[in-house]
Amino acid sequence: MTESGDRTVSSKPLDPFTLMLDFRSGALEPHTSRTERHVSDMQGAYADATAQEHLVKGGDPLVYEVLQYDIPEEVGQLICCTTVLHPGTVGDEYFMTKGHYHSVRDTGEVYLGLRGHGYLLLMTEEGGKAATPMGPGTVAYVPPNWAHRTVNTSEEPFVFFAVYPGQAGHDYGTIEKTGFPQRVLRTPEGAELR
Ligand code: M6P
Ligand code: ZN
């Protein structure tokens, strides 16, 4: 057991390692977890509940998957994962991630866009809001205390790589109660932020 800052770290040190990331597919090898989120896993997230119900009954499509190489969820560690957010809409609203605050609020995150295009939506509990367009090569910085959700506005998978502190954790409950202040909708003129 060692002390790191003011927090206790109990895992034995990791050896250096490398992973291989396929920029096109988002495949991360090796990975130790793969999380799938289908339309049915996102009750209440989309504005059009009727459209959501139709999609669930019609086969419940896969919205996104997260591949991660698990490391100890402890201060000092950096967790790396890829997200593959598939193209599609629920009603007029583009496929998006659930979105989360970090359980430990004073932790940030970095996203690197690899394929496809979309938005990173952000908000704070104090009423702050932001929307950052993302595409291949975009490095997006999520400051501590900002909830974050991604949206795929393209016709191909929106693939991005993320790195965040080991102790951060995911708080989905707050988002389920408040939602995000902005939505991204498909219109005849293209993606519209509302
Ligand atoms: C990024 C990271 C992950 C997150 C994933 C999907 O890869 O922020 O921590 O799990 O996006 O987002 P969510 O957890 O909100 O469904
Ligand atoms: Zn995060």
Side-chain angles (χ1 to χ4, degrees), residues 4-141:
S4 179
D6 58 352
R7 294 180 234 209
T8 302
V9 173
S10 54
S11 302
K12 75 175 175 43
L14 295 181
D15 288 328
F17 64 88
T18 60
L19 305 172
M20 287 305 293
L21 168 57
D22 184 312
F23 288 13
R24 188 159 174 80
S25 68
L28 185 67
E29 297 302 340
H31 59 268
T32 51
S33 71
R34 179 173 175 276
T35 305
E36 283 192 357
R37 303 253 196 239
H38 291 256
V39 173
S40 61
D41 297 316
M42 302 184 65
Q43 299 297 342
Y46 293 95
D48 189 340
T50 309
Q52 183 161 4
E53 199 50 44
H54 275 120
L55 278 177
V56 171
K57 289 201 177 117
D60 196 13
L62 178 63
V63 180
Y64 62 103
E65 50 206 300
V66 181
L67 299 173
Q68 186 164 302
Y69 182 76
D70 292 309
I71 58 166
E73 294 183 351
E74 291 179 349
V75 68
Q77 305 286 3
L78 292 169
I79 298 179
C80 304
C81 61
T82 56
T83 302
V84 180
L85 178 51
H86 294 285
T89 56
V90 176
D92 293 332
E93 194 171 9
Y94 289 106
F95 276 7
M96 61 190 182
T97 58
K98 281 170 79 112
H100 59 273
Y101 285 99
H102 289 162
S103 309
V104 176
R105 290 288 197 270
D106 61 349
T107 53
E109 185 157 354
V110 171
Y111 282 1
L112 169 62
L114 301 174
R115 179 186 176 189
H117 289 84
Y119 276 94
L120 170 62
L121 301 180
L122 303 115
M123 69 172 177
T124 66
E125 287 167 295
E126 289 73 42
K129 61 175 182 178
T132 307
M134 280 189 68
T138 304
V139 176
Y141 182 69

Side-chain angles (χ1 to χ4, degrees), residues 141-157:
Y141 182 69
V142 179
N145 301 303
W146 285 79
H148 35 292
R149 160 181 283 168
T150 46
V151 183
N152 184 358
T153 58
S154 60
E155 303 295 330
E156 61 181 327

